[in-house]
Amino acid sequence: MAENRLYWGKDGGNTYSRLKKFLAEMDGAVPANLWSYKEVGSTDVASKEVSSILDGKYFDFPKPTALIDKILDIVADSNSFIADFFSGSGATARSVIHQNMLDSGLRKFILVQLPEVCDSNSTAYRDGCGTICEIGEECIRRAGEKIRAEVDKTNEQLELGAESKPVPDIGFRVLRVDESCLKDEYATPEQYEQTALDLFADNAAEDAPPLDLLFQVLPTFRIEYSAKVVERETGGKVCFDVNGGQLIACFDEDVDTVALEAIAKERPRYMPSSATHTSPTPPPWQTSRSSSKPSAPLRGRAAT
């Protein structure tokens, strides 16, 4: 009572009181009611937004980015991971990138979308977007480039002594669920015959692209799919450098001692002792949608 913490209603006539809690004492606020379209937009506004990005009507009933902005303001901080399991046109990704631009945050997003096929009579299909996923990818890509251009323009018009604004991370990696790149050839020791061991020297699927093989094994090494991957030649073989030397992998045929010694000299940070055992088959997630051409049957691969 002395602190005026009891609330008896607007006119003071309530039978029971409620305890007052001030905003300064709370970690955010619970929304008091439904949000109006003036505050968080509408599907009509969102459709126009997507159309302006893609120069045409490609998507019906997308989520407005203003709605995602509002949600992020309430539940997320500048370092949050935001997941959207019905990603559609990629509104969540566009909102995250925009928020990072405003406050130099490091928010990250994970979007999930079934590869629903576009109607063959739709503008999206005629323009080369076969699935909703591809529409979302292109929308995120173009929105990111637009944000980059806005930041660059702002930095060109800075007042004397003002600091330039960094361009937020607008990159993203597209992953898709697919068949495993590894053959299901795991067996107990008694199921093997000494004379047939050479047949099991390589358990990679036929014509598996090297980049897909790399992403297949990343979980085995506890490396995130968002890792930086650089393709380069080492010891005369094509290698993948993951996270600046955390892992160096080669999926060429007949990896010789010259290549192995060259990889070893790089001193990858992954501990070899953790990689010497036979690991169970990782989940069958094919990861990068790469343009790598299928190779010949791969043998003698190395990951260090």
Side-chain angles (χ1 to χ4, degrees):
M1 293 287 291
E3 297 179 1
N4 192 27
R5 287 273 183 166
L6 299 180
Y7 178 71
W8 297 91
K10 187 174 182 180
D11 57 3
N14 286 9
T15 303
Y16 301 101
S17 63
R18 296 168 59 186
L19 180 64
K20 294 181 182 178
K21 292 184 178 180
F22 298 100
L23 185 60
E25 301 171 340
M26 304 292 291
D27 184 15
V30 177
N33 52 28
L34 295 177
W35 301 321
S36 69
Y37 75 93
K38 293 182 180 179
E39 188 177 9
V40 297
S42 64
T43 54
D44 182 58
V45 171
S47 294
K48 293 177 180 177
E49 179 182 323
V50 173
S51 296
S52 67
I53 294 173
L54 297 177
D55 300 321
K57 183 173 175 56
Y58 282 74
F59 203 93
D60 296 322
F61 310 114
K63 295 187 288 290
T65 52
L67 171 63
I68 309 301
D69 290 343
K70 180 73 172 178
I71 295 173
L72 295 186
D73 285 341
I74 294 174
V75 303
D77 59 36
S78 61
N79 290 290
S80 292
F81 260 108
I82 293 91
D84 184 347
F85 291 93
F86 300 92
S87 62
S89 66
T92 297
R94 289 183 276 123
S95 176
V96 167
I97 295 172
H98 182 257
Q99 291 285 336
N100 285 342
M101 179 194 70
L102 295 178
D103 62 7
S104 299
L106 297 174
R107 302 170 187 83
K108 297 179 178 65
F109 58 83
I110 299 175
L111 307 187
V112 180
Q113 174 63 51
L114 290 175
E116 183 179 339
V117 178
C118 298
D119 190 297
S120 59
N121 295 319
S122 66
T123 302
Y125 189 88
R126 290 195 300 270
D127 288 350
C129 290
T131 65
I132 288 179
C133 298
E134 292 174 0
I135 296 175
E137 291 170 34
E138 186 61 24
C139 202
I140 298 169
R141 192 175 294 112
R142 293 195 187 188
E145 290 300 330
K146 183 179 179 181
I147 287 176
R148 183 205 297 274
E150 290 176 0
V151 173
D152 289 342
K153 184 176 180 180
T154 300
N155 289 338
E156 291 174 357
Q157 302 172 348
L158 290 176
E159 296 181 359
L160 185 63
E163 292 186 4
S164 61
K165 177 178 289 189
V167 176
D169 184 358
I170 62 174
F172 62 96
R173 178 168 285 154
V174 180
L175 317 176
R176 62 186 173 91
V177 178
D178 204 342
E179 298 287 336
S180 173
C181 291
L182 303 178
K183 298 176 184 177
D184 186 11
E185 292 182 340
Y186 291 93
T188 57
E190 60 269 17
Q191 293 176 294
Y192 289 103
E193 295 182 7
Q194 186 68 34
T195 57
L197 289 180
D198 286 347
L199 298 177
F200 302 98
D202 186 358
N203 68 335
E206 302 295 332
D207 298 333
L211 193 57
D212 290 352
L213 283 167
L214 172 67
F215 278 89
Q216 171 90 52
V217 302
L218 285 183
T220 304
F221 291 90
R222 296 191 177 97
I223 296 177
E224 296 180 350
Y225 285 139
S226 57
K228 182 179 179 180
V229 177
V230 176
E231 181 179 328
R232 59 183 172 82
E233 183 177 307
T234 302
K237 302 294 181 180
V238 176
C239 293
F240 296 100
D241 184 340
V242 181
N243 281 341
Q246 182 179 4
L247 171 73
I248 297 177
C250 178
F251 301 100
D252 280 2
E253 294 183 29
D254 302 321
V255 178
D256 52 25
T257 55
V258 174
L260 289 175
E261 289 175 359
I263 292 174
K265 288 179 180 178
E266 299 275 352
R267 292 184 174 273
R269 294 193 297 276
Y270 189 85
M271 297 301 293
S273 59
S274 301
T276 54
H277 62 83
T278 301
S279 302
T281 304
W285 303 328
Q286 167 172 358
T287 52
S288 58
R289 300 173 66 176
S290 67
S291 58
S292 302
K293 297 180 180 179
S295 61
L298 308 175
R299 301 187 64 81
R301 301 177 179 87
T304 304

